[in-house]
Amino acid sequence: MEFEVQPDYTVEDYAAFWYGFLGKRRGKREVRRLSDRGMRLGGVVFLLAGGFLLWVYWFNPLEFQPVPLFLVWMGLAWLALGGVTLVQWRPGRSEPVQPRWAKRAWKRWAAQDPGLRWSYRFTPAGMEMANRVSEHRFDYSQLQQLWEDGGHFYLTLDQRVWHILNKSQFTRGDPACFAAFLEERAGRPVEWVNGIPEAERRGVTE
């Protein structure tokens, strides 16, 4: 049994890595995020709060003597936060909001010479990485971490450089069989990034 992967990364691949590893501790469930509707509602609340503080400053209904100037700065800050929130989560936005790190990482990869991009091959004998100018072979015992999420596998040889394998970019072999293959060859389980129980991640329900 052999597997081959020719990565063609998108910013979503790097965003998945960010949310799975850099944005939280590995093995912990992903932090629940507000929906787009919730974020838009939050933006409206920020705008109303900012407007209310400025109204208090100008009309002084509480009869401050003198009126605290910090109300102006706080009101402007809330207005700015509300405006940014509504712009980022505006209806019909063509692109999802992605972490800045994910955007930078993808831009570096996209600017790379295509001939220097790694392709991956996994055989019973070991893991191979190759590009136009070099080839490397590693024994599976050298793999330090093995992780998986809904769309990717993540591997590292040194716990510093991670290799992202998109399940949709396997050019040879069934990605549904890849975790079992790695577990057998590396002698350790492929762990689920968000700590989802085995039955749940395999789509089995009680």
Side-chain angles (χ1 to χ4, degrees):
M1 183 179 296
E2 296 186 0
F3 300 85
E4 294 181 3
V5 186
Q6 182 62 57
D8 185 14
Y9 295 127
T10 65
V11 67
E12 287 78 14
D13 293 320
Y14 289 101
F17 177 78
W18 170 269
Y19 288 127
F21 292 86
L22 300 183
K24 67 174 185 62
R25 292 178 59 190
R26 295 189 299 274
K28 301 295 182 182
R29 286 185 180 274
E30 185 175 357
V31 177
R32 187 174 181 180
R33 296 175 178 81
L34 287 176
S35 64
D36 286 353
R37 181 180 179 182
M39 292 302 300
R40 289 193 292 271
L41 178 60
V44 171
V45 171
F46 294 147
L47 290 177
L48 291 175
F52 175 76
L53 290 175
L54 293 178
W55 179 84
V56 169
Y57 177 80
W58 288 111
F59 295 97
N60 195 18
L62 301 178
E63 299 183 350
F64 291 117
Q65 295 296 331
V67 181
L69 186 59
F70 77 84
L71 290 176
V72 175
W73 299 114
M74 187 175 296
L76 292 175
W78 282 108
L79 287 175
L81 182 59
V84 169
T85 302
L86 290 178
V87 168
Q88 291 293 319
W89 276 270
R90 64 185 180 271
R93 182 181 173 89
S94 59
E95 297 181 0
V97 178
Q98 302 291 10
R100 187 174 301 175
W101 177 89
K103 294 179 180 179
R104 290 200 302 264
W106 177 78
K107 287 180 180 179
R108 287 197 299 268
W109 181 85
Q112 189 180 44
D113 181 346
L116 300 180
R117 297 173 183 172
W118 294 111
S119 61
Y120 299 86
R121 184 167 178 254
F122 299 86
T123 72
M127 166 185 167
E128 300 174 8
M129 296 170 51
N131 60 22
R132 187 178 59 195
V133 297
S134 64
E135 288 187 22
H136 302 277
R137 177 174 293 178
F138 304 94
D139 188 84
Y140 290 110
S141 63
Q142 295 177 260
L143 293 175
Q144 298 296 311
Q145 300 285 349
L146 303 172
W147 296 87
E148 176 185 6
D149 65 20
H152 309 83
F153 293 99
Y154 305 98
L155 315 173
T156 178
L157 295 160
D158 56 10
Q159 299 188 14
R160 294 193 305 272
V161 178
W162 288 83
H163 304 279
I164 303 173
L165 307 179
N166 191 313
K167 294 179 181 180
S168 68
Q169 295 169 0
F170 276 64
T171 58
R172 183 175 184 180
D174 184 354
C177 302
F178 189 58
F181 173 86
L182 284 181
E183 289 177 10
E184 178 184 358
R185 295 297 167 181
R188 64 171 63 90
V190 178
E191 299 182 69
W192 195 257
V193 169
N194 291 326
I196 298 175
E198 179 71 16
E200 183 179 346
R201 79 183 179 97
R202 296 301 184 192
V204 179
T205 57
E206 297 181 358

